[in-house]
Amino acid sequence: MSVRYLDRLFAPRSVALIGATDRTGSLGAVALRNLRRAGFRGELMLVNPHHAQIDGIPVYSDIASLPRTPDLALIATPPATLPGLVAQLGERGTRGAAVITAGFGELGPQGEALQRQMLDAARPYLLRIVGPNCVGVMVPRIGLDASFSHIPPRPGHLALISQSGAMVTALLDWASPRGIGFSHIASLGDMADVDFGDMLDYLAADAETRAILIYAEGITHSRKFMSAARAAARIKPVLVLKAGRSAHGARAASSHTGALAGADAVYDAAFRRAGMLRVGTMAALFQAAETLALTDAQLGDRLAILTNGGGAGVLAVDALAAAGGELAVLEPRTLDALNRVLPGTWSRANPIDIIGDASGERYSRALDAVLADRGVDAVLILNCPTALADPADAAKAVIATMAALPASHRLRRHVFAAWLGEQSAREARELLATAGIASYETPDDAVAGFMQRVEYRRNQTLLRATPPARPSGGPPEVEAVRTIITAALAGGASWLAPEDAVALLQAYGIPVADTRVAPSPEAAAELAREIGFPCALKIRSPDVVHKSDVGGVALGLTDAASVRAEAAAMAIRVETARPAARLDGYLVQAEIQRPEALELLAGIAHDPVFGPVIMFGHGGIAVEVMNDTALEFPPLDPLLARSQMARTRVWHLLQGYRGRPSANLEAIADVLIRLAQLALDHPEIREIDINPLLADADGVIAIDARIKVAPVATSVRPVIAPYPQELETTVLSRDGQPVRIRALRPEDEPLLHDLAARMDPEDLRLRFFTPIRGLSHAVAARLTQLDYDRELGLLAEENGAAMGVAHFFADPDNRSAEYAIAVRSDAKGRGIGYALMQRLCELAAQRGIGELVGEVLRENRRMLDMCHDLGFTCAAEPGECTSVRVRKRLSYIGFGR
């Protein structure tokens, strides 16, 4: 379930407080005070069998006695009463409840059983529940404060979602004196029903919400979360503070909310892949709230710094450089303008030091000059207290300058301020906050606020980048790998035999060193002669994971005698170090002579929350000490793989250094992409550890690999839906030509540009409802970078050229999907559009989507005729005379994937 009936929780027309009381300090009394204080515009009803009225408001003895069905029930009664109350509310027709009572999942088996009973009672009625163990929900715009918060929120455009009630009240306490307001506040507590994914879907579509703040301790339903997060972050900034970075913190979070915690590095990867921005501290979340409330989406990375103190400017520059920001280079005309209004001792560069005696007028004139510079994307204004000028006067001048800007000015909401000090800066900060200018206490904090905007912009740019087409390396041998895994599991093995691990990697095109199995020292010596010298010798044991830990690896062996002797010595070392370990022979490898190669780590891990993740980093025997790895989720493309590689320290070595050439980065990325495909094709793989993976200018080769498998029932499915290869089909056009229909990929963007270029202007207008001259990158990226759980794009392809495309975009509940279609102008009349629409309807029905809907211009007779032939109904849009709404009910015909 997703956004269904969430409007009853966040836009109710009536509220019933179950457990209302006048007992001072009780949940019911505080909740009643808040509901009345906020000025809720709808009807308020109270329920308590022990009261007839409270402060003149009638109180009903039970839910059945209520005069009408409440949209939202706020429940503040003991845990044991909840299942029965929820059942009564459901029978009555209520579809939303916020449970502020604690004592459920966080208290172990007994509480979990009670929570299950509550959900079982709600399920037949689709009654949505926020909580339990939460502060409640607040929507200031409509006067709804269904909570026990100590302070009412101001109305605004930030939404706050938090598992922790304490974080909600702390943020409200901080935001109120700063004038920061909220569109919605949802304290989710134990997330028995409504979770982060549901809230992200709901708030993404809310026009009053400009940005979303999240405090999370754990994620449930990770695939739904990722879909919702990716969708929301494409529309508006989403910032997250995730607690439990350390192992101890994760355990504390689990005991707090009963949330299952995965590895923190995996959460980092999830937030980044979704396009969200993670902050590390409570202070950073508060600062982010101010930045998002008082600034607009960042235009670029170039920051100008205006200061009356050189030291403060230098600190800001250092903070900007450390965060990867860019100092703006002032245009010559800006320098000329500043020369005319500033003393001759000013810095004549960025940072712009206007000298310690700067008055408000000097601040204003300098700021005017900087705001006119097209090479500046944002301005940071610093003020250091001196006896020569009044900080409040400077603040008033800045406020007046910004207020005088026209609403269309590109930098109107791209100014950051930091008035240093405490006592002397207090009045200035209050003035800036009242004027809606983002204000911070230190240059570092102000730069961090600016960089939050920049990082969000960079993340979105990366998400919308078009990956290059991968060169074809031949399809993987999927069945061969499946046979290896099936045989291992049937034999009760959890780790593949070394020779099977080699075969598995080779089946997916990953280069592996020639490895052979020898049952005895004599056989090892003979194999070494065949392979050639020098060679490497390793033990073959199902009980020893790290061979070097027991002396089970020997390198640089130069003749058969040394191989035989070393094998015998290894047997003794293994028996001494691990008496119970089985020794099933030896592995003989040709020793790879690549002196300039770097040792890398590549592999697959399995997270209990997010499923398979791809690892990359610095390898070798000191891999744990180096602690230099980056994680990504499958599927991968070349851009994502390179981005993952670039997040490690070893990336800098891979670029080449001290005369060493750059490693073959494409070959490394290809290994990561193939590992990602392995993870998607074979969910039984729980772990792959390729270490070392040697990489140099000539390419890559895996020297050693360990692979762990387990029954698929124990696996968590990938959090990002893979490319649906199985949807590909071929149809015949009306003139008998074969046309391939397949799902769109991100790298298909050039095909869409070519398709639009071959469409007549009138056909483009009929498709996009306005005259256009082709597709922008942003539009084409949106049409090719799809979440296959919710969206689908079909490409009709003939001889490698795009002949037509069709899309549907489903709502989060999968009840309805909006469709669109375009066909190349010179391909009309060949039945390609008809075939695309038939296939789209078929696949939508397989997904369980209830209906396909679309909007068609009245003059688009060809499309309207096709819709009629395919069983769509047509109706004019209310109050709209230029277009028609078409709709087709679908019958569920089974799973598409």
Side-chain angles (χ1 to χ4, degrees), residues 78-312:
T81 65
L82 263 295
L85 289 173
V86 167
Q88 294 172 43
L89 288 165
E91 291 171 3
R92 186 68 195 264
T94 299
R95 294 296 178 261
V99 180
I100 58 179
T101 307
F104 291 84
E106 73 276 11
L107 294 186
Q110 183 176 354
E112 290 171 358
L114 198 58
Q115 185 165 293
R116 283 195 299 272
Q117 294 170 27
M118 177 185 69
L119 291 176
D120 289 343
R123 192 169 293 113
Y125 309 104
L126 300 181
L127 192 156
R128 306 306 308 275
I129 295 175
V130 169
N133 187 24
C134 72
V135 166
V137 298
M138 293 167 257
V139 186
R141 185 176 71 256
I142 63 172
L144 177 67
D145 186 353
S147 78
F148 61 90
S149 170
H150 69 300
I151 189 170
R154 295 171 179 260
H157 300 286
L158 294 180
L160 173 63
I161 319 169
S162 175
Q163 271 178 285
S164 166
M167 284 294 298
V168 168
T169 53
L171 189 55
L172 290 182
D173 201 282
W174 175 88
S176 183
R178 288 166 172 79
I180 293 174
F182 297 87
S183 63
H184 300 76
I185 297 169
S187 169
L188 301 184
D190 292 350
M191 298 196 300
D193 173 24
V194 177
D195 60 14
F196 287 117
D198 300 329
M199 290 304 306
L200 284 167
D201 275 327
Y202 182 79
L203 294 170
D206 180 66
E208 294 296 320
T209 299
R210 293 179 185 165
I212 302 169
L213 304 176
I214 295 176
Y215 171 81
E217 294 177 355
I219 299 297
T220 57
H221 309 296
S222 57
R223 185 148 167 171
K224 181 180 79 171
F225 168 81
M226 283 295 283
S227 278
R230 293 167 72 195
R234 279 184 175 270
I235 300 170
K236 56 194 69 173
V238 182
L239 276 79
V240 58
L241 172 60
K242 164 65 174 66
R245 282 183 175 271
S246 66
H248 293 298
R251 284 194 293 271
S254 178
S255 63
H256 179 206
T257 62
L260 179 64
D264 188 70
V266 180
Y267 276 99
D268 250 349
F271 299 147
R272 184 183 300 107
R273 183 71 173 266
M276 306 164 80
L277 189 61
R278 183 175 187 175
V279 296
T281 65
M282 187 172 172
L285 187 66
F286 288 173
Q287 289 170 4
E290 181 162 13
T291 303
L292 294 173
L294 303 178
T295 63
D296 284 338
Q298 194 55 46
L299 303 170
D301 303 356
R302 302 166 297 179
L303 180 67
I305 302 170
L306 181 65
T307 177
N308 70 337

Side-chain angles (χ1 to χ4, degrees), residues 509-532:
I510 297 173
V512 187
D514 184 12
T515 303
R516 306 186 192 183
V517 178
S520 65
E522 292 73 19
E526 188 60 34
L527 279 177
R529 284 195 187 94
E530 295 178 14
I531 290 175

